[in-house]
Amino acid sequence: MTIAQPRPGPTAAAHPRRGPLLARPISRRSMLVRTVAVTGGVAATGTVLAACGGDAGISESTRIAEQLAPLSLAASDDAVAARTLRARNPDRAAALAVIATERETHATTINDEIARLAPDLARPSTSSGVAAPSAQPSGAPPTSGAPAAPTVTTVEQLRERLASTASSTGDLAVSMSGYRAGMLGSIAAACNAQVQVQLG
């Protein structure tokens, strides 16, 4: 009589492709490389976030006031130019007087809004309007980073300046809302009328 021999039970075997399921040791060099990579990624992320928040210190009111400041200065320059040209162009004296008055009003109106938004950027007010840029108080921040306007010596040059102002003011009006949009739109329309009617 033959007695069947018991079959051996299953034994732990290695994966046919991957070998024993054991954790591979990590060398000191590999650990350093991974640490540097992670640290560099965190530093890069911090740099990007800092760059994105670089303008966080400028308020919305100040940003708008800085956009308006060049328009106020341009209006004052136009008013001065129109008054100067009156003496040289008697046949245009009446039209130039209207332009000088309107542009001075524009300068004051815009400057008043600047004063409401960011008082430090506004020019001082005088009995006849707003003070020229040279009259800024000592130590006060500049009202605009724009270069000085070129000297206007002819009526045609003034006409070109007013046409340019009408365009730039109208463009800015589109980006504004509420009172400021209406104010700038009205000024742009007035400059167009000065070009086409007063100096047309």
Side-chain angles (χ1 to χ4, degrees), residues 105-182:
T105 299
H106 296 164
T108 301
T109 301
I110 298 172
N111 192 66
D112 288 346
E113 181 63 7
I114 294 172
R116 189 185 69 81
L117 293 168
D120 290 343
L121 297 180
R123 289 182 285 161
S125 297
T126 68
S127 58
S128 59
V130 291
S134 60
Q136 281 289 101
S138 177
T143 55
S144 171
T151 302
V152 175
T153 59
T154 67
V155 172
E156 183 58 29
Q157 287 176 339
L158 178 60
R159 189 176 188 279
E160 291 174 357
R161 273 179 53 85
L162 291 171
S164 177
T165 295
S167 177
S168 59
T169 304
D171 290 342
L172 185 57
V174 174
S175 69
M176 298 290 178
S177 62
Y179 167 75
R180 284 185 292 274

Side-chain angles (χ1 to χ4, degrees), residues 64-74 110 114 121 123 142-145:
I64 295 174
E66 290 177 344
Q67 290 178 299
L68 295 176
L71 299 181
S72 178
L73 291 172
I110 298 172
I114 294 172
L121 297 180
R123 289 182 285 161
T143 55
S144 171

